[in-house]
Amino acid sequence: MYLSSFVPLAVIATPLTASVRAVPTPHASNDPYLGGLTFDYFHAKVRGVNLGGWLVLEPWITPSIFERASNPAVIDEYTYTKALGKEEAYRRLSEHWNKWITQKDFYEIARAGLNHVRIPIGYWAVAPLASDPYVQGQLRVLDNAIGWARAANLKVLIDLHGAPGSQNGFDNSGRLGPINWQQGSTVSETLDAIKGLAERYASASDVVTSIQLLNEPLPAAGASFLGNTKHFYQDGYRAIRKINSETVVVIHDAFQGPGYWQGFLSPETGATHVMLDTHQYQIFDAGGIGLSPNQHVRAACGLSGQLKGLDKWTVVGEWTGAQTDCAKWLNGRGKGARYDGTLPGFSRTGSCDGKYSGRVAALSADDKFNLRHFIEAQLDAYESRTGWFFWTWKTEGAPEWDLQDLLRNGIFPQPLNSRQYPNQCGR
């Protein structure tokens, strides 16, 4: 969740087998091409939220879980389970899985007018490796979540958030550190997890409309990384198609920007029901963190034109109202923030007062004003294409990121198409 960019690069499509029927672009109004899909991605807008920090731990979302481990070396789910041992880790995580998100959350999400949830899960929940310290039991909880979504009339995108070896080195991949995905058998092991998810959930097509092959692969591990990622995407697409011909296959843009993926797994290559996922954060580099509130709005609006005209459904699968990286441990356990200069290498832009830890109600009037402006601009920009998933539904105390708290305090629009500051993006 730490990077994002729009980089216009050329792309050479790698055709799939001709046996897969071609379809028109997602702009077409041909309902028959929806096939067995139970959500109309051609015409309706995805309005969703991520259930972050639930089945994959993230220190900044639930810092208390890590603080109770009483070990500063516990910085991700890998080190958490390794430090506690499987029996104790399972006991504590089971309690978290059963309490952090419940059926009440799904009903509250639906009442807010949202129609999708994106549920991150790690490979270790589906296809664990003998050498890993991770514990299992998440699939039982995910089974419950599918039922809760059905009862609330919500659709589900299941997102493989962590791959063996780590596809990005972020703590939200399960293991903070080097990027070792694509080394050894890690790609085939990732495909095993994808197959396991599809075999278990693709038949629940009234709810599970889409499966994401991998969250945020970061091409920082050699020149061959992107090429290998493309091959993985093609193999993952075929693996899901062998199980279900209609499930939407979601691919992340690997921080290359949506335009890079024009022509790849597109209708013209014979691929069907493919969705591109791009993540938009303006706070994880020096340029973004120094933007003024108005510049953040203009940058968000500028994305609209880049999303239009793409050859596949495209969602902004992660975004936030935050214009700072102030939230406690957002950059990793024990690390400071760029915004207030407490992260080494960055000079101070402003104060993190009220934004490090707390609730929306306690934010300053200026912070609330800026949040609402920025959120509305992003909603307008991202609905110029297929839609969006806000990151994240709830936190223990990160007010700029907590959709539940933003809704309850009137910062996030209700209804979702209401605007206090209309036409920011010229719509």
Side-chain angles (χ1 to χ4, degrees), residues 58-395:
E58 297 197 32
W60 73 273
I61 296 178
T62 55
S64 68
I65 289 178
F66 290 81
E67 289 167 340
R68 287 196 297 269
S70 302
N71 184 342
V74 172
I75 55 175
D76 51 31
E77 189 158 340
Y78 185 95
T79 52
Y80 181 87
T81 53
K82 185 175 182 179
L84 269 63
K86 291 204 171 189
E87 183 176 350
E88 180 61 17
Y90 176 77
R91 186 189 69 79
R92 296 191 189 190
L93 286 177
S94 293
E95 181 180 8
H96 168 67
W97 298 333
N98 291 329
K99 291 182 178 180
W100 182 244
I101 300 289
T102 69
Q103 188 168 20
K104 291 182 180 179
D105 290 287
F106 280 74
Y107 284 128
E108 186 173 356
I109 289 167
R111 285 195 301 270
L114 300 168
N115 52 36
H116 280 68
V117 291
R118 180 173 179 255
I119 304 181
I121 196 163
Y123 76 89
W124 55 89
V126 192
L129 304 178
S131 59
D132 283 342
Y134 298 115
V135 299
Q136 288 69 56
Q138 300 92 331
L139 293 185
R140 170 187 54 79
V141 182
L142 184 54
D143 292 345
N144 290 337
I146 304 306
W148 299 338
R150 180 178 289 114
N153 197 28
L154 295 169
K155 304 304 180 187
V156 172
L157 186 163
I158 299 176
D159 154 46
L160 190 68
H161 216 69
S166 180
Q167 74 279 15
N168 52 35
F170 303 153
D171 57 14
N172 56 63
S173 72
R175 190 171 189 181
L176 179 68
I179 301 171
N180 289 320
W181 185 63
Q182 300 188 4
Q183 303 300 311
S185 58
T186 54
V187 172
S188 64
E189 291 161 352
T190 308
L191 287 169
D192 288 341
I194 290 297
K195 293 172 186 174
L197 288 172
E199 288 169 351
R200 190 177 183 108
Y201 297 111
S203 62
S205 57
D206 62 315
V207 178
V208 181
T209 58
S210 44
I211 295 175
Q212 183 154 1
L213 297 180
L214 190 58
N215 179 68
E216 295 187 341
L218 178 61
S224 63
F225 190 94
L226 270 175
N228 292 337
T229 300
K230 290 179 182 179
H231 286 300
F232 164 73
Y233 282 167
Q234 291 171 323
D235 289 343
Y237 172 87
R238 293 188 179 99
I240 290 178
R241 284 290 167 266
K242 288 180 179 178
I243 297 167
N244 189 295
S245 62
E246 304 291 353
T247 301
V248 176
V249 178
V250 184
I251 61 173
H252 183 260
D253 69 1
F255 303 108
Q256 304 305 296
Y260 178 84
W261 299 92
Q262 280 288 89
F264 180 80
L265 286 179
S266 66
E268 288 72 23
T269 68
T272 59
H273 295 173
V274 176
M275 180 179 289
L276 183 65
D277 170 28
T278 185
H279 296 171
Q280 295 301 324
Y281 298 112
Q282 299 179 20
I283 55 174
F284 292 117
D285 57 45
I289 204 66
L291 296 178
S292 70
N294 285 337
Q295 288 173 324
H296 279 294
V297 166
R298 288 199 295 272
C301 291
L303 301 177
S304 178
Q306 299 181 58
L307 295 173
K308 294 176 181 177
L310 297 174
D311 61 10
K312 54 183 69 67
W313 298 320
T314 303
V315 294
V316 177
E318 293 186 19
W319 62 281
T320 176
Q323 298 181 29
T324 78
D325 64 336
C326 288
K328 177 180 177 179
W329 296 356
L330 180 63
N331 296 302
R333 181 177 184 180
K335 295 183 179 180
R338 297 166 184 82
Y339 191 74
D340 67 357
T342 56
L343 187 68
F346 291 86
S347 57
R348 177 187 170 94
T349 298
S351 171
C352 283
D353 288 351
K355 297 182 283 291
Y356 175 75
S357 182
R359 308 310 298 175
V360 170
L363 290 172
S364 71
D366 282 346
D367 284 336
K368 292 177 182 178
F369 176 85
N370 291 331
L371 273 168
R372 177 79 185 215
H373 263 273
F374 191 35
I375 287 169
E376 288 190 11
Q378 290 183 90
L379 290 173
D380 289 344
Y382 305 155
E383 290 197 7
S384 67
R385 199 66 185 94
T386 311
W388 47 268
F389 292 84
F390 188 88
W391 188 278
T392 182
W393 172 239
K394 65 197 305 185
T395 71

Side-chain angles (χ1 to χ4, degrees), residues 21-44 46 116 205 209 241 244-248 272-275 313 386:
R21 65 180 175 89
V23 301
T25 69
H27 293 294
S29 57
N30 293 286
D31 290 338
Y33 288 108
L34 283 172
L37 283 179
T38 56
F39 187 85
D40 185 353
Y41 293 103
F42 286 112
H43 306 106
V46 172
H116 280 68
S205 57
T209 58
R241 284 290 167 266
N244 189 295
S245 62
E246 304 291 353
T247 301
V248 176
T272 59
H273 295 173
V274 176
M275 180 179 289
W313 298 320
T386 311

